[in-house]
Amino acid sequence: MLFQVLFLFALPIIINAATVTFPPTVGLGTSDVQYTSSASSFDALKISNVNSTTYEWYYFDAISDDGSYSAVATFFIAPNTAFPFTGSPTMTLEVLLSIQTPDSDVFYLNGVFATDAQVTTDGDGASGIWEGTGLSFNSSSDMSSYDIVIDSADLMGVTGTISMQSIAPAHYPCSAAQAGATMQLLPNVGWANAVPDSRATVQLEINGQNVSFTGSGYHDMNWGDIPFLDAVGTWHWGHGRLGPYSLVWFDGTSQDGSPHTSGYVSLNGAIVGSQCSGVNVTATSSGFDIGIDLGEEGVVQAQFSTDHTLLSFQDVYFRWSGSLVGGISGGEQYTGSAMFDEFDFTNS
Ligand SMILES: *[C@@H]1O[C@H](CO)[C@@H](O)[C@H](O)[C@H]1NC(C)=O
Ligand SMILES: *[C@@H]1O[C@H](CO)[C@@H](O)[C@H](O)[C@H]1NC(C)=O
Ligand SMILES: *[C@@H]1O[C@H](CO)[C@@H](O)[C@H](O)[C@H]1NC(C)=O
Ligand SMILES: *[C@@H]1O[C@H](CO)[C@@H](O)[C@H](O)[C@H]1NC(C)=O
């Protein structure tokens, strides 16, 4: 009993103090990679030693309700031998920042490398400092709010903040946030979605020009224990808001062609579905149709339009923002905005 009391007393202190520091270069030896969830530490690191064949990243985006503005910040611990779209085989700590405005789909795009990175877990939340870049993120311990702070006037020409107040509970690929759940989106790829949707406020000054908007904010992390190209065949992921509904979808294949899906819907801050079946993402002439079957709650049908191309690499990777139209089939229809990523390695 005494032992138990001490344990309960000591545990939060240990968790609160958990800071991992990453060197700027690729780690040696094996990576210990987590794919089964714990009861807490939702947004904690899933790999504390990233080697040349493993990777992880913290991803944040925000999009205005009309889809004309967006901002994406990704904090990588990933050599390009493991994730092919980062900038170096030896330097792992890249921060990628991209900004879309009504003036330009690619108003700003820049990647810089940190000299080291520290990630601290606090409750379910996480904070990260990518030293030398001026970029960091921090959160409340319950993941209800996240701030991305950009203090990089000299290096990147950008200062300001992206702030998120969550409106949709965290989830894993096939379940809500709970202990013992699978975190594999497909074999050898992990996914934990801390903030499926939020009220986002973006206030940035970019090379002397103010870019400010409000809208929908999103945050997740991905990781893997083998190179991304060895695990993934196709990947159609996105998220968006339709009136009171927050949606997140994934429909892809692993390298052997086997299909894997995930669908998440919350309504006014409560999860209506978090599942890895009954989800379709189908290409159309103007974008993609998304279907998520919620059983008794009905079927969500939404049309995403690939209005703005924010990133593209050699026809195998695209990121789009655009409008999202739909709702529960047969019910009220809404118009909102969404972000969408496509990887297709099947022709390469
Ligand atoms: C990296 O870690 C993974 C997972 O532990 C392991 O399978 C792999 O062999 C390691 N890679 C290298 C180059 O050591
Ligand atoms: C992040 O850190 C700043 C500075 O300490 C603090 O003002 C802010 O409230 C923190 N944000 C969150 C979401 O906890
Ligand atoms: C940008 O906004 C800030 C805060 O509102 C203001 O102080 C600054 O003068 C603005 N800068 C420009 C270039 O408009
Ligand atoms: C997914 O596609 C299949 C085959 O076309 C169809 O039968 C099913 O109703 C679709 N489900 C959703 C949720 O869109």
Side-chain angles (χ1 to χ4, degrees):
M1 197 59 202
L2 178 63
F3 181 78
Q4 216 168 21
V5 169
L6 284 174
F7 184 75
L8 287 170
F9 185 73
L11 195 60
I13 295 165
I14 293 166
I15 288 171
N16 285 342
T19 297
V20 175
T21 300
F22 289 89
T25 50
V26 74
L28 301 174
T30 58
S31 303
D32 195 7
V33 181
Q34 243 184 290
Y35 285 125
T36 302
S37 66
S38 320
S40 67
S41 308
F42 187 96
D43 213 19
L45 291 160
K46 306 304 186 289
I47 307 175
S48 54
N49 172 43
V50 169
N51 70 24
S52 64
T53 55
T54 62
Y55 62 89
E56 72 191 312
W57 67 74
Y58 284 88
Y59 170 94
F60 301 86
D61 73 37
I63 181 168
S64 62
D65 297 335
D66 68 357
S68 68
Y69 284 93
S70 69
V72 181
T74 312
F75 295 77
F76 288 101
I77 310 160
N80 70 6
T81 48
F83 183 67
F85 304 103
T86 50
S88 166
T90 52
M91 306 293 282
T92 55
L93 303 177
E94 188 170 4
V95 178
L96 193 63
L97 181 65
S98 63
I99 312 288
Q100 167 205 352
T101 68
D103 293 338
S104 170
D105 288 354
V106 191
F107 181 77
Y108 181 92
L109 175 63
N110 200 358
V112 294
F113 287 90
T115 52
D116 73 46
Q118 292 123 38
V119 178
T120 303
T121 304
D122 178 9
D124 281 315
S127 303
I129 301 171
W130 263 239
E131 287 294 350
T133 67
L135 270 80
S136 63
F137 60 89
N138 64 321
S139 77
S140 59
S141 59
D142 63 357
M143 303 185 284
S144 61
S145 49
Y146 275 83
D147 288 323
I148 297 97
V149 178
I150 305 171
D151 182 8
S152 194
D154 294 343
L155 187 61
M156 300 183 83
V158 185
T159 59
T161 55
I162 300 169
S163 297
M164 302 186 183
Q165 304 293 324
S166 182
I167 62 164
H171 72 109
Y172 294 117
C174 308
S175 72
Q178 62 191 47
T182 181
M183 299 192 288
Q184 287 196 68
L185 183 58
L186 45 81
N188 305 106
V189 179
W191 184 45
N193 186 187
V195 183
D197 196 4
S198 69
R199 281 188 296 276
T201 305
V202 179
Q203 287 185 302
L204 301 173
E205 188 172 328
I206 303 168
N207 297 321
Q209 190 172 330
N210 278 342
V211 174
S212 301
F213 63 94
T214 58
S216 169
Y218 172 97
H219 159 51
D220 69 10
M221 63 185 304
N222 281 107
W223 65 96
D225 66 326
I226 64 172
F228 192 75
L229 275 176
D230 293 344
V232 176
T234 62
W235 174 292
H236 292 112
W237 159 90
H239 73 89
R241 192 179 309 159
L242 286 174
Y245 294 96
S246 301
L247 274 54
V248 185
W249 57 83
F250 176 82
D251 187 351
T253 54
S254 49
Q255 223 215 18
D256 66 5
S258 61
H260 299 275
T261 63
S262 175
Y264 170 94
V265 179
S266 77
L267 170 62
N268 294 321
I271 296 177
V272 191
S274 181
Q275 60 202 51
C276 36
S277 61
V279 179
N280 294 340
V281 178
T282 316
T284 65
S285 57
S286 59
F288 294 88
D289 281 352
I290 296 121
I292 304 174
D293 188 345
L294 299 172
E296 285 177 3
E297 305 287 335
V299 179
V300 171
Q301 297 282 8
Q303 289 86 50
F304 171 72
S305 303
T306 51
D307 300 330
H308 308 283
T309 302
L310 309 182
L311 282 179
S312 65
F313 289 103
Q314 295 159 1
D315 286 344
V316 296
Y317 174 41
F318 292 93
R319 174 173 296 154
W320 296 285
S321 65
S323 71
L324 188 69
V325 177
I328 299 279
S329 192
E332 189 172 343
Q333 299 296 291
Y334 304 93
T335 298
S337 59
M339 300 287 286
F340 197 109
D341 271 2
E342 175 183 69
F343 294 95
D344 189 345
F345 301 119
T346 56
N347 296 318
S348 61

